[in-house]
Amino acid sequence: MKPQIKIILSNFFFEYETPRQVLVRNKKVAVACRIIQMGVLGYIIGWVFMYEKGYHAIDTAIGSVFTKMKGVSLTNISGEERIWDAADFVFPEQGASSFVVMTNYIATVGQQQDKCPELPDGKNKCTTDKDCDKGKYKRQMTGRCISNTSTCEIYSWCPVEDDRQIPDPAILLTSENYTLFIKNSITFPHFNVVRSNLVESVNQSYINTCLYHPKTDPLCPIFRLGDIVELSGFSFSEIARLGGAIGLLIDWDCNLDLSIRHCEPKYEFYGLYGTGRNDKEKPSLGYNFRYAKYYVEKGVEKRTLMKVFGVRIDIIVNGRAGKFDIIPTLTAIGSGVGIFGVATVVCDLLLLHFVTKKDFYKNMKFKHTEIPEETPALP
Amino acid sequence: MKPQIKIILSNFFFEYETPRQVLVRNKKVAVACRIIQMGVLGYIIGWVFMYEKGYHAIDTAIGSVFTKMKGVSLTNISGEERIWDAADFVFPEQGASSFVVMTNYIATVGQQQDKCPELPDGKNKCTTDKDCDKGKYKRQMTGRCISNTSTCEIYSWCPVEDDRQIPDPAILLTSENYTLFIKNSITFPHFNVVRSNLVESVNQSYINTCLYHPKTDPLCPIFRLGDIVELSGFSFSEIARLGGAIGLLIDWDCNLDLSIRHCEPKYEFYGLYGTGRNDKEKPSLGYNFRYAKYYVEKGVEKRTLMKVFGVRIDIIVNGRAGKFDIIPTLTAIGSGVGIFGVATVVCDLLLLHFVTKKDFYKNMKFKHTEIPEETPALP
Amino acid sequence: MKPQIKIILSNFFFEYETPRQVLVRNKKVAVACRIIQMGVLGYIIGWVFMYEKGYHAIDTAIGSVFTKMKGVSLTNISGEERIWDAADFVFPEQGASSFVVMTNYIATVGQQQDKCPELPDGKNKCTTDKDCDKGKYKRQMTGRCISNTSTCEIYSWCPVEDDRQIPDPAILLTSENYTLFIKNSITFPHFNVVRSNLVESVNQSYINTCLYHPKTDPLCPIFRLGDIVELSGFSFSEIARLGGAIGLLIDWDCNLDLSIRHCEPKYEFYGLYGTGRNDKEKPSLGYNFRYAKYYVEKGVEKRTLMKVFGVRIDIIVNGRAGKFDIIPTLTAIGSGVGIFGVATVVCDLLLLHFVTKKDFYKNMKFKHTEIPEETPALP
């Protein structure tokens, strides 16, 4: 068997097959065909390679964000002056990527565990004790109806909060001038690249003086709260009064074939939960939450309940880096060659079905196995 | 040289090559071949295009979540009634996407900086002062052994917390009826689409009355805590006592070729850290953390230490949108044509190796360069 | 018309076309061609399939992280001993994936709302009241210059914080020995796989005793704070004094074709915001934030302001799972066949342009439609 294997191997290595082709001299078909082929080639080179960078392997970033608010507000409520600094108005305090800046509040000072009548907000009137069924859902009633307020008595932190009237204008309207400093670090784990939003051009002296502006200072990591609100499409006085949520998108789109210096963040702002960009959806107005400051007075636990209205800022990092890689390149080429094959099929269709001399061309292209044309009837 | 270039160009544009082919009239091979080809075609059209939507460009969502818990619990511990509202039992308070609802606790009231004996939990007995080595790891010992408790004296917030007995049943068992309101906003940055979980059919009047139910109200953004727990496979009384972590997945799978109205969230629930879905893994029981409420009494700083057991809910947004795009479409077509090529190779293999008249077909298909068959031996 | 359709269908099903080919016996071209083809085949099989697992469908994980710090520090500031436990030094307390461990602080005890002179930090000197313009940006001045400190009087929480001197060494330097316990749960929604970092080999008895070490205990979920800091490239005494941010990356790279047991996390550590891995970028030194503990003393609201320096740890989950899937497999094959087509084009180029007998081969390969060669001039 050995010599036979040798022949097969020698045939395999020293002989190579290439398809036989007909060169069709037909202007119409040839021009149409070349235009289709050049269109495909143009699409592959121009669009897939140049524009969409089909030769790029893509990695998405994992990021980490640190924030710091700065600012002081002075309020004057019925003659009592009070200062608010960052420790008072930022929640949570440790500089997370999602936080709330208080702009308005309803404080209920000195609540303690007790029984007191519900807030008469129109929906919960009672006339007799029977209206105050003990087992009722969601409220812990004592079963008594208080004639003063015409509401049921409940177990509660007393006095109950009165949030029927939201302060207007917002108490901390000067929060417009607070500044937000953002540090953002991203990692492209696939490419082993780490990058910070404090890029080369953002040095210490620049940070000390700059303020973000979409046109003039697009890389400054310090933002005025009022600017953020307005760039996201809200009116500051409205959002300050009722609260609202804003998405601050840090968008990284990096081409790592170029110098890393060109890998820079882009900041975008939009209202969350339906407002902003897409105004077909109805805005869900307002953002508020309650928190309590507990203390002990004369052995009794008390709390100051704050209903906080504020600007909630969600910092969202969206990072994407591309870098030349052989696999997507060859995949793009391979699939491009495939599309070339489609072009050839289309050309053949034209040639064999839409041309006057189509039978002649069919004869040229195809050979039938039934009537072998290679054996000419010789005399 | 100019005329030659002209000839080359004219050849290029007016002449086009198409492969010559043999039409093989062999039923077996032809049928086999057509079946393979139609299988490939069916796969490409049916599976890649229709089912997997290979013509779609894909974008993943970046999302933002706001939560609000509502509910009140009344507890009665040795005669002392106490009311718990959202400001008391939600951590953190500002409505983050990951939060804890307290369902059980061990409170240690009035701790202050002092020296006191360790908790006798069986593992840290001492008989003489020698057993209480000052430099010991993790505890700050004074070096004395207290005979009363047979434990070492330590520097600590005193009295030390006694968490040997977890309250059973959970103190805030009524937390089952708390409700959770979720607002979720997602953005598909590539497609510039913003969407909220308060979709068109979820209007204000619906929100006021609805409660999530997987079958009847799958879009209602208000969830009963007890339902969440049960849908994720836990028993409420158990999780309330020892705590546990639940993933609440908001799943968006949007086809942006259709109306945006069909882009709706799906809510899913599962136990985290090993329980739930996949019960081959052992559940890691319990979820608890400690926090302190500080206060000053008669000039001395004190704190109330709370060991909180609760339901931790992690809201995870998983969004994916597809939209028709020319590049994935052509890539799918191109790679489909490539697979067609594989089909042709398989057919040829059948023809040239597994058919009785294979040598005849070989002769038809191949032309050898050594013995040119085109020159018939003429007389 | 029916018989004609029958003929077309019978032709379609019983006749199949295969390209005619020339077998070229030219050692140079054949060997070059085979080498190119085998290179392409090797690339497709070896690289795309074996190394890059081109037959895998990929899913990225959505994860959830729970953390718990343990440890106690004893400080002695001017004779006053004080104990710090986890409830005192972790922010936020509920075990989030991003948290801060306090290692140093500046406490300003007993602040209350008042007027007091600004801190004389060199930049804000005044000599007369005129220097203290009421409307000035960022500070709420009363308009008076205090001669004692030569600074303006401001509305503020008084006394103002004096952060000119950061305690050196860090007050809580023993925080090096704190331990961090991490529970991480990930979900591959596409594959419906849930996995926890407490893998099979990490059982309860192992957790009770183990401590993470990159070489000997790479799966132990308990980390010493000092180790984390050093593995991320910081010096502990420095970071403890000024604070810093560390990324703790939990990297899952799972091949779900194998047993799920092999799907294990890998822990990586690096400094955020410019330090660490990539030391071309300048580190942005320090991490601090302020928070306030409020209390009421004799009816007056007071607060203890803490400027906290600490180690911020951001736990980032990066999960990726691959599983055999027919679509990527066929896409890879199809695009491989496409690249094969490129190889054929290159071979033909060699044959038709760089070989001495090229005109002979051209003649063999191409048939011109103008001078039909099939009609031999017979006598």
Side-chain angles (χ1 to χ4, degrees), chain C residues 15-213:
Chain C
E15 206 173 66
Y16 113 98
E17 68 273 3
T18 178
R20 294 176 70 181
Q21 297 191 299
V22 195
L23 287 175
V24 178
R25 265 223 169 258
N26 181 308
K27 279 199 191 177
K28 276 186 213 158
V29 173
V31 166
C33 190
R34 292 302 178 201
I35 287 174
I36 292 172
Q37 283 178 346
M38 285 167 75
V40 169
L41 199 72
Y43 156 79
I44 292 169
I45 292 177
W47 189 256
V48 177
F49 271 78
M50 316 286 268
Y51 187 80
E52 293 277 342
K53 300 201 179 61
Y55 54 86
H56 266 178
I58 299 299
D59 197 10
T60 50
I62 43 186
S64 158
V65 171
F66 162 63
T67 57
K68 192 163 203 166
M69 288 293 306
K70 273 190 181 165
V72 173
S73 276
L74 177 70
T75 60
N76 189 323
I77 297 174
S78 44
E80 198 193 343
E81 281 174 331
R82 191 185 161 95
I83 275 289
W84 300 83
D85 61 17
D88 297 325
F89 61 65
V90 177
F91 307 89
E93 63 275 292
Q94 79 269 9
S97 66
S98 170
F99 61 94
V100 182
V101 181
M102 176 164 74
T103 54
N104 205 1
Y105 66 88
I106 295 167
T108 312
V109 183
Q111 285 189 326
Q112 68 182 74
Q113 295 281 343
D114 208 347
K115 299 169 195 172
C116 50
E118 271 193 296
L119 189 73
D121 63 359
K123 281 183 282 183
N124 50 7
K125 266 189 187 165
C126 67
T127 44
T128 64
D129 289 359
K130 277 183 188 168
D131 296 336
C132 297
D133 192 359
K134 261 189 167 182
K136 249 188 177 172
Y137 185 48
K138 273 183 187 173
R139 301 177 216 129
Q140 303 293 340
M141 303 199 175
T142 59
R144 290 210 309 157
C145 182
I146 307 295
S147 53
N148 252 5
T149 58
S150 297
T151 55
C152 302
E153 194 186 52
I154 51 171
Y155 293 99
S156 181
W157 288 94
C158 294
V160 296
E161 181 190 75
D162 181 359
D163 60 353
R164 287 172 297 181
Q165 206 73 38
I166 300 171
D168 189 4
I171 300 174
L172 297 164
L173 204 57
T174 51
S175 54
E176 199 168 358
N177 289 320
Y178 296 169
T179 56
L180 167 64
F181 173 50
I182 297 177
K183 274 206 263 186
N184 172 221
S185 180
I186 57 165
T187 309
F188 294 108
H190 221 73
F191 300 141
N192 205 24
V193 167
V194 176
R195 186 91 179 133
S196 154
N197 70 328
L198 308 178
V199 295
E200 288 76 11
S201 60
V202 180
N203 53 29
Q204 198 54 50
S205 69
Y206 180 63
I207 290 178
N208 287 342
T209 58
C210 77
L211 193 68
Y212 175 83
H213 186 278

Side-chain angles (χ1 to χ4, degrees), chain A residues 241-256:
Chain A
R241 187 169 161 258
L242 296 169
I246 289 173
L248 197 165
L249 179 65
I250 307 183
D251 203 13
W252 296 83
D253 192 356
C254 293
N255 182 347
L256 298 181

Side-chain angles (χ1 to χ4, degrees), chain C residues 174-368:
Chain C
T174 51
S175 54
E176 199 168 358
N177 289 320
Y178 296 169
T179 56
L180 167 64
F181 173 50
I182 297 177
K183 274 206 263 186
N184 172 221
S185 180
I186 57 165
T187 309
F188 294 108
H190 221 73
F191 300 141
N192 205 24
V193 167
V194 176
R195 186 91 179 133
S196 154
N197 70 328
L198 308 178
V199 295
E200 288 76 11
S201 60
V202 180
N203 53 29
Q204 198 54 50
S205 69
Y206 180 63
I207 290 178
N208 287 342
T209 58
C210 77
L211 193 68
Y212 175 83
H213 186 278
K215 292 269 177 290
T216 60
D217 292 84
L219 287 175
C220 177
I222 294 167
F223 304 82
R224 202 173 142 268
L225 187 61
D227 292 346
I228 293 176
V229 166
E230 263 145 49
L231 285 167
S232 62
F234 285 102
S235 128
F236 192 82
S237 61
E238 254 178 54
I239 208 177
R241 189 171 158 257
L242 296 169
I246 289 173
L248 196 165
L249 179 65
I250 307 183
D251 203 12
W252 297 83
D253 192 356
C254 293
N255 182 346
L256 297 181
D257 294 337
L258 308 178
S259 159
I260 189 81
R261 297 177 68 94
H262 295 108
C263 180
E264 288 181 343
K266 222 175 69 191
Y267 302 96
E268 283 170 34
F269 311 84
Y270 54 98
L272 291 175
Y273 314 129
T275 43
R277 275 207 220 181
N278 188 346
D279 52 11
K280 271 172 287 178
E281 291 172 29
K282 288 263 280 299
S284 174
L285 278 166
Y287 178 90
N288 63 72
F289 67 90
R290 285 182 184 84
Y291 85 98
K293 293 189 277 191
Y294 299 90
Y295 56 94
V296 175
E297 206 173 46
K298 289 170 195 152
V300 179
E301 188 182 8
K302 294 192 171 183
R303 73 176 193 184
T304 297
L305 182 67
M306 300 284 285
K307 180 166 185 174
V308 173
F309 301 84
V311 180
R312 169 162 162 178
I313 297 181
D314 275 13
I315 298 178
I316 301 162
V317 179
N318 185 37
R320 189 180 169 286
K323 199 176 185 177
F324 173 79
D325 191 271
I326 192 73
I327 294 212
T329 309
L330 287 178
T331 303
I333 291 176
S335 119
V337 170
I339 302 172
F340 245 91
V342 177
T344 301
V345 168
V346 171
C347 295
D348 281 5
L349 225 70
L350 287 177
L351 185 75
L352 302 175
H353 295 281
F354 298 98
V355 169
T356 45
K357 288 207 288 172
K358 60 187 174 189
D359 288 326
F360 171 69
Y361 292 124
K362 261 186 206 168
N363 209 33
M364 298 296 288
K365 183 175 167 71
F366 297 111
K367 184 163 86 171
H368 287 266

Side-chain angles (χ1 to χ4, degrees), chain B residues 77-265:
Chain B
I77 297 173
S78 43
E80 199 192 343
E81 282 173 329
R82 192 184 160 94
I83 275 289
W84 300 85
D85 61 16
D88 297 326
F89 62 67
V90 177
F91 306 89
E93 62 276 291
Q94 79 270 7
S97 66
S98 170
F99 61 94
V100 182
V101 181
M102 175 164 75
T103 53
N104 205 1
Y105 66 87
I106 294 167
T108 313
V109 183
Q111 285 190 326
Q112 67 182 73
Q113 296 281 343
D114 208 347
K115 301 169 194 172
C116 49
E118 271 192 296
L119 189 71
D121 64 358
K123 281 183 283 183
N124 51 8
K125 268 190 187 165
C126 68
T127 43
T128 64
D129 288 358
K130 278 183 188 168
D131 296 336
C132 298
D133 191 357
K134 260 190 168 183
K136 250 189 173 169
Y137 185 49
K138 275 187 184 168
R139 300 180 216 129
Q140 302 294 339
M141 303 200 174
T142 59
R144 290 208 309 156
C145 182
I146 307 293
S147 52
N148 251 4
T149 58
S150 297
T151 55
C152 301
E153 194 186 54
I154 51 171
Y155 294 99
S156 181
W157 287 93
C158 294
V160 296
E161 180 190 75
D162 181 359
D163 60 353
R164 287 174 298 181
Q165 206 72 38
I166 300 172
D168 190 3
I171 300 175
L172 296 165
L173 204 57
T174 52
S175 55
E176 199 169 356
N177 288 320
Y178 295 171
T179 56
L180 167 63
F181 173 50
I182 297 176
K183 275 205 263 187
N184 172 222
S185 180
I186 58 166
T187 307
F188 294 107
H190 222 72
F191 301 141
N192 204 25
V193 167
V194 176
R195 187 90 178 135
S196 153
N197 70 328
L198 308 179
V199 294
E200 288 76 10
S201 60
V202 181
N203 54 28
Q204 198 54 50
S205 69
Y206 180 64
I207 290 177
N208 286 342
T209 58
C210 77
L211 193 67
Y212 174 84
H213 185 279
K215 293 268 178 292
T216 60
D217 291 85
L219 288 174
C220 177
I222 294 168
F223 303 82
R224 203 172 141 269
L225 188 61
D227 292 345
I228 294 176
V229 166
E230 264 143 51
L231 284 167
S232 62
F234 285 102
S235 126
F236 192 83
S237 62
E238 256 178 53
I239 208 176
R241 187 169 159 258
L242 296 168
I246 289 174
L248 195 165
L249 179 65
I250 306 183
D251 203 11
W252 296 84
D253 192 355
C254 293
N255 182 346
L256 297 182
D257 294 338
L258 308 178
S259 159
I260 189 80
R261 297 176 68 94
H262 296 107
C263 181
E264 288 181 344

